[in-house]
């Protein structure tokens, strides 16, 4: 039999018990003891399950109350002063770093949060201060290890390694990585000695940063850190886990170090196999082969995996079957899905089912239970989805809008006759409790569709009136009918499947439930036309149609594995194109196509940006609007402004106007736009909608003036930096009023 390992498991609880308990604790409705008890029972249940499923390397410390990077901050004592000064206990200090603290002990903001590599999971960014004194705090590590031991389970404690920690940390003083790395390393040494004293046998150290583009300095740092670490902890077996790609830049160095085992990702690591083929794999080491996908939810294709393992076995003597990354990124179990039919369910594997896959693969590889292979083969026979639709036929014209943007601009200025610095919003207006109740009632069948329609139209009527009163130039219908940017469209597209409880942690207590792309995507019927048309009928001003773009829809779904991302993006693009053309036919002159997640799946390695992603992602957007009239103005929106690296590609989406967030971040990007002659008109949000604070007219004027230094007045739009759905009504009205007043004043003087 082959040994089996996993890199980590979800931890919010099968029914999100940890989320609910934590939120209650935040609201003061539950005690620390209650929260701890919920957490403990989640951990125990999972260990027992993993043992039952025959996992040989069961992790501990993969559990987290919020995030594993934040746990590492505690482990190393890298707690910034302002949180220490609160003088609250460790758990509350921890939560203060995660989400800020406001109360009798003080007032501090949360640490920054960023996306974890190429996932939709977010980690807390460590901030390293010059005078930080690192201290070892192994309490949780020890506690979890002992907890499992008392269940007779000997776990493999799991920690984030020093290299990844340092590379992801932010240094806010004079010091840099080289100034603190040995101090940090000392703490890691302490941690490892502690584990030795507990008689821990194997520990897994996560170094996902190894799959990034590494330079000489990075490689030296990594080698130096681990060479030193190994001189101190001889008796411990260390498994290096790498994931989210291959480690091509540092493979040889890694092989030379004293690791007991090396975790290599064969799912996302495109060069993993060729690396071991060309460079070999050290005889004495164990290869933890990441062959069960930790990120997607489709069944493993056993025939292919077995072929792969057999091939790996030509180069490595000792193999452990491993997941490609932590199972944190998939939902708990299919058992929770009561609405999904069995003939669909059999194609999927969530975390629990993936444990089963490791077990089955091990059996088949050992020559037992051939029937498991036969059964699995059935799933991959041709014919799950009819072949003929897989590739939609497209030619060059489908991606090229005519006339050119420059010509369109003239035509559109003439056509719309908008004032200079036109004002608009990003789409949604505050979603009050009442709106949510109405949507829920409709979903549960408590009100009829015509009653629902009437209610939504009343909201639209009010919001149009409100925007006219505020004297905004380009209006929106408010998006009252939508709960989510993807689900709303998915529900109206053929090819999507929805789950009930398949939640995946996005950050802290926040989970998302990505829909599944099951089959070929086509539009069932017009999706947004009726409400947009209604909104437009109420006013003479233009009302923007509001759609989610194909790349965002794709990136926030679980994709198929039997066709390429490119094909899926083009299929979704085709469906959204139908919607764009119907909106145009219905008299909607301005259409916004949101691409909030276009940067999310940008490959981790620069060399892959174009070949694997941007080439089709940008085209998918172009496909959506290539067939509209010159007078139809296409907007897009992105929730961030960190697109410096791909600014030409963003321009190349060929939209007429783009809005993005810039009020919070510095205005670097705006200077940059000028340098590169960015052609798309821009609306770099003039206030931050993530806070209830009302911006004054004066500060908006100030900001617009700054924007004007780099943006031609013919190219500048004025808008908030994102949709308003999470804001209260009162602050929204006041903020927009100030925004319009500020704009009008500036118009007088330019
Ligand atoms: N149109 C969407 C809204 O206004 C955009 C949301 C987003 O960018 N995340 O809510
Ligand atoms: Zn946004």
């Amino acid at each position: 039999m082959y040994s089996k390992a996993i890199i980590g498991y979800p931890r919010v609880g099968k029914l999100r018990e940890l989320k609910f308990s934590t939120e209650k604790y935040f609201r003061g409705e539950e005690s620390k003891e209650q929260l701890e008890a919920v957490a403990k029972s989640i951990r125990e249940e999972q260990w027992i399950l993993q043992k039952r499923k025959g996992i040989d390397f069961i992790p501990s410390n993969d559990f987290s109350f919020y995030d594993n990077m934040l746990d590492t901050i505690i482990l190393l004592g890298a707690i910034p002063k302002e949180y220490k000064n609160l003088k609250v206990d460790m758990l509350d200090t921890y939560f203060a770093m995660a989400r800020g603290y406001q109360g009798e002990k003080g007032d501090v903001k949360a640490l920054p949060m960023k996306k974890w590599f190429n996932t939709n999971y977010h980690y807390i960014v460590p901030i390293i201060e010059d005078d930080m004194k690192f201290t070892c705090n192994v309490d949780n590590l020890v506690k979890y290890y002992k907890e499992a031991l008392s269940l007779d389970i000997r776990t493999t404690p799991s920690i984030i390694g020093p290299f990844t920690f340092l590379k992801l940390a932010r240094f806010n003083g004079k010091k840099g990585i080289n100034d603190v790395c040995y101090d940090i390393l000392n703490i890691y040494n302490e941690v490892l000695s502690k584990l030795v004293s507990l008689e821990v046998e194997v520990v897994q150290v996560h170094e996902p940063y190894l799959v990034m583009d590494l330079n000489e300095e990075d490689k030296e740092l990594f080698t130096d850190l681990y060479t030193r670490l190994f001189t101190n902890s001889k008796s411990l077996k260390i498994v290096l886990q790498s994931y989210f790609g291959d480690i091509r830049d540092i493979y040889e160095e890694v092989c030379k170090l004293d690791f007991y085992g090396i975790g290599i990702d064969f799912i996302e690591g495109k060069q993993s196999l060729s690396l071991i083929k060309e460079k070999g794999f050290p005889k004495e080491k164990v290869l933890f082969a990441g062959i069960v996908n930790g990120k997607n939810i489709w069944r493993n294709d056993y025939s292919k995996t077995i072929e792969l393992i057999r091939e790996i076995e030509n180069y490595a003597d000792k193999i452990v079957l491993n997941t490609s990354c932590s199972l944190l990124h998939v939902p708990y179990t299919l058992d929770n899905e009561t609405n999904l039919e069995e003939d669909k369910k059999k194609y999927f594997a969530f975390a629990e089912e993936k444990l089963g896959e490791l077990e089955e693969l091990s059996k088949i590889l050992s020559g037992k239970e051939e029937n498991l292979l036969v059964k699995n083969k059935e799933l991959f026979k041709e014919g799950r989805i009819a072949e003929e639709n897989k590739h939609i036929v497209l030619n060059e014209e489908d991606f090229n809008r005519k006339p050119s943007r420059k010509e369109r601009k003239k035509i559109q200025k003439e056509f719309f006759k908008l004032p200079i610095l036109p004002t608009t919003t990003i789409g949604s207006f505050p979603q009050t409790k009442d709106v949510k109740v109405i949507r829920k009632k409709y979903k549960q069948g408590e009100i009829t569709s015509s009653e629902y329609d009437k209610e939504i139209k009343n909201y639209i009527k009010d919001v149009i009136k409100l925007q006219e009163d505020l004297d905004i130039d380009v209006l929106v219908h408010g998006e009252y009918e939508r709960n989510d940017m993807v689900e709303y469209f998915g529900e109206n597209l053929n090819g999507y499947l929805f789950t009930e409880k398949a939640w995946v942690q996005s950050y802290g207590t926040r989970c998302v439930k990505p829909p599944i792309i099951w089959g070929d995507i086509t539009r069932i019927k017009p999706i947004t036309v009726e409400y947009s048309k209604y909104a437009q009928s109420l006013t003479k001003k233009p009302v923007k149609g509001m759609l989610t773009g194909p790349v965002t829809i794709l990136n926030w779904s679980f994709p198929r594995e039997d066709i390429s991302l490119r094909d899926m993006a083009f299929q979704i693009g085709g469906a959204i194109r139908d919607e764009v053309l119907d909106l145009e036919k219905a008299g909607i002159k301005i259409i916004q196509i949101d691409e909030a997640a276009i940067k999310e799946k940008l490959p981790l390695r620069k060399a892959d940006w174009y070949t694997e992603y941007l080439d089709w992602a940008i085209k998918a957007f172009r496909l959506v609007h290539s067939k509209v009239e010159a007078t139809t103005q296409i907007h897009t929106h992105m929730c961030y402004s960190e697109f410096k690296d791909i600014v030409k590609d963003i321009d190349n989406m060929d939209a007429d106007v783009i809005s993005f967030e810039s009020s919070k971040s510095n205005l670097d990007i705006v200077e940059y736009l000028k340098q590169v002659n960015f052609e798309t008109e821009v609306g770099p949000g003039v206030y931050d909608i993530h806070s209830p604070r009302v911006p004054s007219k004066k500060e908006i004027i100030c900001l617009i003036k700054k924007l004007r230094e780099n943006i031609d007045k013919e190219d500048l739009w004025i808008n908030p930096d994102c949709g308003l759905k999470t804001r209260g009504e009162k602050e929204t009205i006041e903020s927009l009023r100030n925004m319009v007043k500020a704009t009008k004043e500036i118009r007088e003087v330019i």
Side-chain angles (χ1 to χ4, degrees):
M1 285 285 274
Y2 286 68
S3 292
K4 291 142 286 181
I6 58 170
I7 300 186
Y9 208 73
R11 62 258 179 146
V12 288
K14 261 187 183 165
L15 297 170
R16 291 180 295 159
E17 293 88 345
L18 185 68
K19 167 199 169 71
F20 296 119
S21 181
T22 310
E23 285 174 350
K24 278 190 192 142
Y25 174 69
F26 291 159
R27 291 194 299 265
E29 295 163 15
E30 236 180 46
S31 69
K32 200 161 285 169
E33 290 68 38
Q34 284 171 304
L35 172 60
E36 298 271 11
V38 170
K40 183 164 184 242
S41 75
I42 290 176
R43 288 192 295 268
E44 291 184 344
E45 190 188 321
Q46 301 185 171
W47 283 322
I48 292 169
L49 171 75
Q50 290 161 19
K51 184 175 176 186
R52 186 157 54 78
K53 295 279 183 181
I55 303 297
D56 303 277
F57 296 86
I58 295 179
S60 59
N61 199 46
D62 58 331
F63 172 83
S64 180
F65 277 103
Y66 207 92
D67 164 51
N68 288 126
M69 275 298 270
L70 185 55
D71 299 334
T72 316
I73 293 175
I74 298 273
L75 180 72
L76 306 174
I79 304 172
K81 272 191 287 311
E82 48 180 356
Y83 303 100
K84 279 192 174 157
N85 290 343
L86 291 172
K87 304 228 165 15
V88 293
D89 71 11
M90 203 44 111
L91 187 64
D92 288 341
T93 308
Y94 177 90
F95 284 137
M97 288 191 278
R99 49 198 295 278
Y101 177 96
Q102 208 163 24
E104 50 193 39
K105 309 268 180 165
D107 187 353
V108 280
K109 281 204 252 155
L111 285 174
M113 197 164 68
K114 274 185 91 178
K115 267 185 200 296
W116 180 242
F117 298 90
N118 55 358
T119 70
N120 191 17
Y121 175 78
H122 301 68
Y123 69 96
I124 303 286
V125 183
I127 301 269
I128 308 295
E129 296 171 334
D130 280 350
D131 55 354
M132 216 168 224
K133 292 262 172 302
F134 303 102
T135 50
C136 172
N137 177 0
V138 287
D139 290 0
N140 281 341
L141 202 58
V142 172
K143 178 172 150 187
Y144 301 153
Y145 185 73
K146 287 188 174 163
E147 246 174 41
L149 212 52
S150 73
L151 297 168
D152 212 14
I153 297 173
R154 190 169 276 280
T155 56
T156 312
S158 130
I159 48 177
I160 292 177
F163 180 68
T164 297
F165 182 82
L166 287 164
K167 292 299 288 181
L168 297 182
R170 213 177 271 175
F171 291 79
N172 81 341
K174 292 202 185 72
K175 287 191 176 170
I177 291 186
N178 292 333
D179 303 305
V180 302
C181 63
Y182 296 135
D183 293 343
I184 295 260
L185 195 68
N186 285 338
I187 308 290
Y188 273 94
N189 274 323
E190 270 186 62
V191 173
L192 295 186
S193 346
K194 184 72 202 176
L195 295 178
V196 172
S197 73
L198 287 171
E199 294 175 10
V200 168
E201 219 177 295
V202 188
V203 57
Q204 53 166 319
V205 181
H206 296 208
E207 290 286 13
Y209 203 90
L210 292 182
V211 309
M212 304 292 285
D213 289 317
L214 303 180
N215 58 28
E216 286 308 313
E217 216 178 306
D218 295 326
K219 292 202 268 185
E220 266 169 40
L221 174 68
F222 180 83
T223 314
D224 183 30
L225 287 173
Y226 278 89
T227 309
R228 285 167 193 265
L229 202 66
F230 283 118
T231 38
N232 282 305
S233 52
K234 293 224 163 57
S235 55
L236 202 58
K237 292 177 178 162
I238 301 183
V239 176
L240 173 81
Q241 295 286 17
S242 68
Y243 42 86
F244 302 144
D246 58 65
I247 54 171
R248 66 187 87 146
D249 288 343
I250 198 160
Y251 180 77
E252 283 157 309
E253 287 83 349
V254 163
C255 285
K256 280 189 209 132
L257 286 160
D258 254 342
F259 294 109
Y260 161 75
I262 302 174
I264 293 182
D265 174 358
F266 288 92
I267 302 285
E268 281 189 277
K270 278 169 299 160
Q271 294 189 14
S272 293
L273 186 60
S274 59
L275 280 172
I276 59 166
K277 275 185 170 176
E278 281 158 28
K279 311 202 166 169
F281 188 82
K283 271 215 153 339
E284 73 289 356
K285 293 192 179 18
V286 184
L287 175 59
F288 283 68
I291 37 95
V292 166
N293 194 335
K295 267 191 185 166
N296 210 350
I297 42 76
W298 296 86
R299 280 253 166 232
N300 188 288
D301 185 342
Y302 289 170
S303 312
K304 273 198 188 148
T305 305
I306 286 164
E307 203 177 304
L308 173 67
I309 296 281
R310 294 294 179 222
E311 180 124 45
I312 298 173
E313 278 175 332
N314 292 328
Y315 305 90
D317 289 348
K318 300 181 217 164
I319 292 185
V320 170
L321 306 179
N322 198 13
T323 53
S324 67
C325 61
S326 169
L327 296 173
L328 173 66
H329 309 291
V330 291
Y332 266 87
T333 172
L334 279 163
D335 289 348
N336 280 340
E337 302 304 320
T338 51
N339 286 344
L340 212 58
E341 302 123 17
E342 285 304 322
D343 65 339
K344 296 235 164 69
K345 254 190 190 176
K346 65 182 182 198
Y347 287 95
F348 302 120
F350 295 173
E352 190 168 329
E353 293 78 25
K354 283 176 193 281
L355 299 178
E357 291 192 326
L358 286 168
E359 199 174 22
E360 295 193 352
L361 278 165
S362 151
K363 283 185 187 156
I364 300 169
L365 281 161
S366 316
K368 294 179 198 148
E369 309 205 36
E370 276 294 313
N371 62 318
L372 294 171
L373 183 59
V374 176
K375 205 171 140 209
N376 180 269
K377 274 187 181 155
E378 281 295 305
L379 300 176
F380 296 91
K381 271 196 183 152
E382 286 305 304
R384 182 178 72 83
I385 305 296
E387 191 69 31
E388 61 271 18
N389 300 327
K390 283 186 186 168
H391 309 275
I392 62 169
V393 185
L394 298 165
N395 21 36
E396 272 312 296
E397 297 103 72
D398 287 298
F399 301 108
N400 289 318
R401 185 174 172 197
K402 292 208 177 90
S404 74
R405 182 161 42 200
K406 281 206 176 107
E407 282 172 60
R408 278 166 6 223
K409 190 164 170 167
K410 270 187 245 146
I411 298 170
Q412 290 172 8
K413 292 264 176 226
E414 191 54 35
F415 182 79
F416 289 107
K417 296 203 166 52
L418 292 170
I420 207 139
L421 313 187
T423 51
T424 189
T425 63
I426 306 304
S428 59
F429 264 71
Q431 295 232 337
T432 55
K433 263 206 187 112
D434 300 348
V435 191
K436 289 183 191 159
V437 168
I438 286 161
R439 273 205 313 260
K440 197 165 170 197
K441 276 190 181 163
Y442 176 52
K443 221 172 185 167
Q444 294 176 343
E446 288 169 34
I447 54 174
T448 65
S449 75
S450 67
E451 282 167 324
Y452 172 73
D453 236 39
K454 216 171 119 199
E455 294 274 6
I456 295 291
K457 284 185 173 163
N458 275 335
Y459 281 105
I460 295 178
K461 201 178 201 167
D462 291 347
V463 85
I464 294 290
K465 166 97 174 42
L466 171 68
Q467 296 171 87
E468 288 202 313
D469 290 347
L470 288 166
D471 205 14
I472 292 176
D473 303 307
V474 173
L475 314 191
V476 295
H477 78 284
E479 299 183 27
Y480 297 104
E481 74 287 7
R482 307 181 192 178
N483 52 342
D484 177 288
M485 294 178 69
V486 174
E487 195 167 73
Y488 178 72
F489 287 90
E491 278 169 355
N492 292 287
L493 297 174
N494 288 311
Y496 261 100
L497 277 189
F498 296 90
T499 54
E500 289 157 86
K501 306 228 163 57
W503 297 96
V504 178
Q505 189 177 16
S506 171
Y507 63 87
T509 60
R510 194 174 145 72
C511 300
V512 294
K513 195 156 60 68
I516 299 170
I517 303 181
W518 163 265
D520 296 315
I521 302 291
T522 48
R523 194 181 60 150
I524 300 170
K525 58 176 190 317
I527 304 169
T528 63
V529 176
E530 163 129 8
Y531 290 141
S532 286
K533 203 166 128 186
Y534 174 71
Q536 186 61 80
S537 76
L538 303 169
T539 175
K540 293 213 157 48
K541 292 189 173 186
V543 177
K544 280 195 276 194
M546 198 56 66
L547 306 174
T548 304
V551 187
T552 298
I553 293 184
L554 175 65
N555 285 351
W556 283 345
S557 307
F558 284 119
R560 287 164 69 175
E561 289 181 343
D562 60 333
I563 65 170
S564 66
L565 292 172
R566 175 198 179 94
D567 279 342
M568 278 177 274
F570 288 176
Q571 285 183 0
I572 302 170
I576 301 296
R577 171 167 75 176
D578 293 346
E579 185 72 11
V580 166
L581 295 176
D582 278 349
L583 280 171
E584 187 179 56
K585 242 186 259 154
I588 305 300
K589 299 289 182 206
I590 303 187
I591 302 170
Q592 180 175 311
I593 306 156
D594 292 328
E595 281 291 16
I598 203 161
K599 227 189 114 187
E600 193 165 303
K601 297 259 163 87
L602 190 68
L604 296 174
R605 284 178 184 271
K606 269 202 172 142
D608 301 335
W609 281 6
Y610 289 92
T611 48
E612 309 230 323
Y613 187 71
L614 288 171
D615 276 359
W616 56 259
I618 303 302
K619 270 180 128 178
F621 186 88
R622 294 173 64 107
L623 165 66
V624 167
H625 67 96
S626 60
K627 292 271 194 308
V628 299
E629 300 289 327
T631 47
T632 298
Q633 191 171 66
I634 298 295
H635 290 217
T636 187
H637 165 72
M638 280 162 209
C639 289
Y640 46 79
S641 53
E642 300 106 46
F643 50 71
K644 220 173 183 167
D645 292 337
I646 52 165
V647 77
K648 273 284 160 206
D649 306 286
I650 303 290
D651 212 18
N652 203 17
M653 288 161 73
D654 202 26
D656 298 300
V657 182
I658 176 170
S659 62
F660 54 89
E661 171 249 292
S662 76
S663 63
K664 256 188 311 185
S665 48
N666 43 35
L667 293 170
D668 275 15
I669 183 72
V670 179
E671 282 169 33
Y672 196 66
L673 295 178
K674 183 175 174 177
Q675 281 171 32
V676 299
N677 279 326
F678 198 68
E679 269 187 33
T680 320
E681 295 178 29
V682 290
V686 296
Y687 76 87
D688 173 18
I689 62 91
H690 304 90
S691 148
R693 197 175 154 269
V694 175
S696 67
K697 182 180 81 179
K698 200 166 140 210
E699 67 186 81
I700 298 179
I701 289 183
C702 235
L703 185 72
I704 299 179
K705 281 187 179 154
K706 280 213 198 98
L707 295 174
R708 279 279 298 117
E709 289 168 16
N710 288 296
I711 302 170
D712 195 277
K713 64 182 179 202
E714 299 291 335
D715 290 341
L716 182 58
W717 286 67
I718 307 296
N719 46 261
D721 68 357
C722 195
L724 302 163
K725 64 172 164 247
T726 55
R727 290 273 61 85
E729 281 180 299
K730 187 161 168 283
E731 76 230 21
T732 297
I733 296 173
E734 283 171 32
S735 303
L736 291 175
R737 186 172 289 133
N738 289 348
M739 182 184 91
V740 174
K741 275 190 192 157
T743 310
K744 285 184 175 169
E745 268 185 39
I746 296 225
R747 279 180 193 149
E748 295 295 311
V749 295
I750 53 173

